[in-house]
Amino acid sequence: MALNSLNVLLVEDDPVFRNIVAAFLSGRGANVVEAEDGEQGLQSFKSQKYDVVVADLSMPRMGGLEMLKAMSRINPAIPSIVISGNQVMADVVEALRIGACDYLVKPVSDLYSIEHAINQCLTSVDQEHAAVNRDVEELSFMELNENLALLEQNAEAARCVQQQLFPASHIEYPKARLDYSLFKHEQVSPYFIDSAMVGNHHLIMYMAHFHPEDNRAAFASVLMRSFVNQKLKLNRTGVSSVVIEPFNMLSYLNDRLVKSGLDLYCDMIYVAIELDSYRAAIAQAGRGLRCYIRNQDGITPLALADSLQLGLLEWGKPTTQFRSLMPAEQLCVVSSEAEHRQLLQQNRFLGLNFNPKIPQGGFVQLSL
């Protein structure tokens, strides 16, 4: 049978829905263990080996997000699929951020969609472990297009989804600090930033500018975060170091955008910092963003040549540079407007900001 001998942990507080799903998965060949809330699910996860976790997000005692975060700390290699009501899209975005493979929206009218999601998720994990240097995760074009259409039609939904992804304007890491300002004119920002610690010794950050500048940028932000999270997860399990290799990361992200079939393009600067030596590896795609070194004398551009945007089938290589930073230097990524460079020099770090008087775009600064 399709799910023959798979060990599935099903965490769902609705007993009727849980029994229906458990009976279906068992009928398809899976060995299903049921849990009625996040606390019970986490205890079961600690005591038994599972192939996949299927979890509701809204549960008593311990919610699905808290449970999945704890599971990820115990064994980040076990894939998860989340089930959510329409009213908690913010939780879905957060679940994708912490590495969930897929999500389903209640009510689930076709139980075979759960089987399909499990098979897709496990196929992706198996293939990634078998081929470290190539990402072969298959995206469902139908699901992508359905979600994209929803966000294109509903500007408020797109705004809410993207808003959940943006960090605070000031982010403190153990050995670094990140500050940024991004200015937008519409509900959705065509620019996106992200950063993350990779183990105890590396930090990554990137800034992206999506084209066209419409509601699709919200979906592109979710996709980009999901793509990067897949590589973060593989790094945590010791399978791949690509996430701290900017050249290879941009090659991977271009491949993912092309295969998504969404007709989206992206300027990006991606940076990986080795925190003990202050050595930075930087890669650039497109021509709309610039990287600068900032010190007491002002800001100095790094010599990174223009290259093709991400999302092109006939894509070339990104431009790269390696740089050792002095303790008093900051690394900055800035969009092309002169006004943004001026605001950077004035230390106007406001986070995500709606301001029609300032050109769209902005800047991010990394201080070690």
Side-chain angles (χ1 to χ4, degrees):
M1 282 178 274
L3 301 178
N4 191 34
S5 299
L6 284 179
N7 293 319
V8 179
L9 174 58
L10 174 62
V11 191
E12 167 62 60
D13 65 316
D14 181 341
V16 175
F17 182 64
R18 185 177 69 246
N19 290 339
I20 291 172
V21 174
F24 171 78
L25 295 178
S26 297
R28 300 297 292 163
N31 302 315
V32 182
V33 174
E34 301 177 45
E36 62 184 22
D37 56 45
E39 188 173 298
Q40 190 179 100
L42 183 58
Q43 290 302 317
S44 183
F45 186 85
K46 291 177 179 178
S47 63
Q48 185 173 335
K49 179 174 174 50
Y50 291 98
D51 297 300
V52 64
V53 176
V54 179
D56 189 9
L57 289 183
S58 250
M59 294 183 295
R61 296 180 67 190
M62 177 185 287
L65 282 177
E66 186 181 353
M67 180 194 73
L68 290 173
K69 288 177 182 178
M71 289 177 175
S72 182
R73 289 192 291 270
I74 296 168
N75 189 346
I78 305 303
S80 60
I81 297 165
V82 299
I83 301 177
S84 169
N86 289 320
Q87 71 276 15
V88 286
M89 191 62 190
D91 285 350
V92 171
V93 172
E94 180 64 16
L96 291 172
R97 287 181 60 181
I98 62 177
C101 290
D102 202 351
Y103 72 93
L104 301 171
V105 175
K106 287 184 177 179
V108 181
S109 57
D110 181 5
L111 294 178
Y112 283 96
S113 65
I114 301 177
E115 178 184 342
H116 175 73
I118 291 173
N119 283 326
Q120 287 288 96
C121 188
L122 294 176
T123 298
S124 172
V125 170
D126 289 344
Q127 289 176 329
E128 282 179 320
H129 280 74
V132 168
N133 293 320
R134 64 184 179 91
D135 177 76
V136 290
E137 171 192 336
E138 293 299 326
L139 296 174
S140 167
F141 296 155
M142 182 179 297
E143 291 176 3
L144 287 175
N145 289 330
E146 287 176 355
N147 286 280
L148 178 59
L150 173 65
L151 295 183
E152 283 182 312
Q153 295 162 14
N154 190 327
E156 179 60 22
R159 183 196 69 80
C160 290
V161 167
Q162 191 186 51
Q163 190 80 30
Q164 295 298 320
L165 295 175
F166 276 99
S169 56
H170 309 285
I171 312 163
E172 294 285 350
Y173 289 107
K175 296 182 180 180
R177 175 186 173 98
L178 215 66
D179 305 278
Y180 79 97
S181 286
L182 286 182
F183 302 97
K184 63 177 183 175
H185 295 172
E186 306 295 336
Q187 297 256 35
V188 172
S189 170
Y191 290 83
F192 181 62
I193 71 157
D194 193 16
S195 63
M197 285 291 295
V198 185
N200 297 320
H201 304 291
H202 290 87
L203 175 71
I204 62 162
M205 74 168 189
Y206 60 88
M207 182 170 174
H209 179 198
F210 298 111
H211 308 271
E213 295 184 343
D214 56 25
N215 286 351
R216 278 177 283 183
F219 198 70
S221 300
V222 175
L223 279 180
M224 195 63 67
R225 173 69 65 81
S226 177
F227 296 153
V228 173
N229 277 352
Q230 288 295 321
K231 293 303 183 187
L232 282 169
K233 193 171 184 177
L234 291 177
N235 183 273
R236 289 197 298 270
T237 56
V239 175
S240 171
S241 62
V242 167
V243 74
I244 57 173
E245 301 167 357
F247 180 98
N248 291 328
M249 271 301 292
L250 289 192
S251 299
Y252 156 73
L253 292 173
N254 180 73
D255 181 65
R256 289 290 84 210
L257 283 179
V258 169
K259 289 181 178 178
S260 74
L262 294 176
D263 198 26
L264 287 166
Y265 306 94
C266 178
D267 297 310
M268 178 178 283
I269 290 181
Y270 188 102
V271 179
I273 304 282
E274 208 290 313
L275 293 172
D276 295 328
S277 65
Y278 292 172
R279 183 164 174 79
I282 307 156
Q284 174 178 300
R287 61 184 64 186
L289 302 172
R290 288 290 181 265
C291 196
Y292 294 85
I293 297 295
R294 184 182 185 187
N295 55 31
Q296 65 272 18
D297 297 322
I299 60 175
T300 303
L302 291 181
L304 285 164
D306 293 341
S307 60
L308 295 176
Q309 293 175 311
L310 300 180
L312 297 172
L313 183 61
E314 299 297 329
W315 189 66
K317 297 179 179 179
T319 56
T320 58
Q321 186 174 127
F322 296 90
R323 171 88 182 214
S324 293
L325 301 175
M326 301 299 293
E329 291 181 331
Q330 290 88 38
L331 186 66
C332 307
V333 180
V334 188
S335 44
S336 57
E337 298 287 342
E339 188 170 350
H340 298 152
R341 293 194 296 276
Q342 295 168 3
L343 291 170
L344 168 64
Q345 291 177 304
Q346 297 167 13
N347 294 316
R348 296 280 299 278
F349 299 112
L350 307 172
L352 185 62
N353 190 270
F354 179 81
N355 192 331
K357 296 181 180 179
I358 298 177
Q360 293 200 106
F363 44 88
V364 56
Q365 174 175 285
L366 174 68
S367 306
L368 297 173

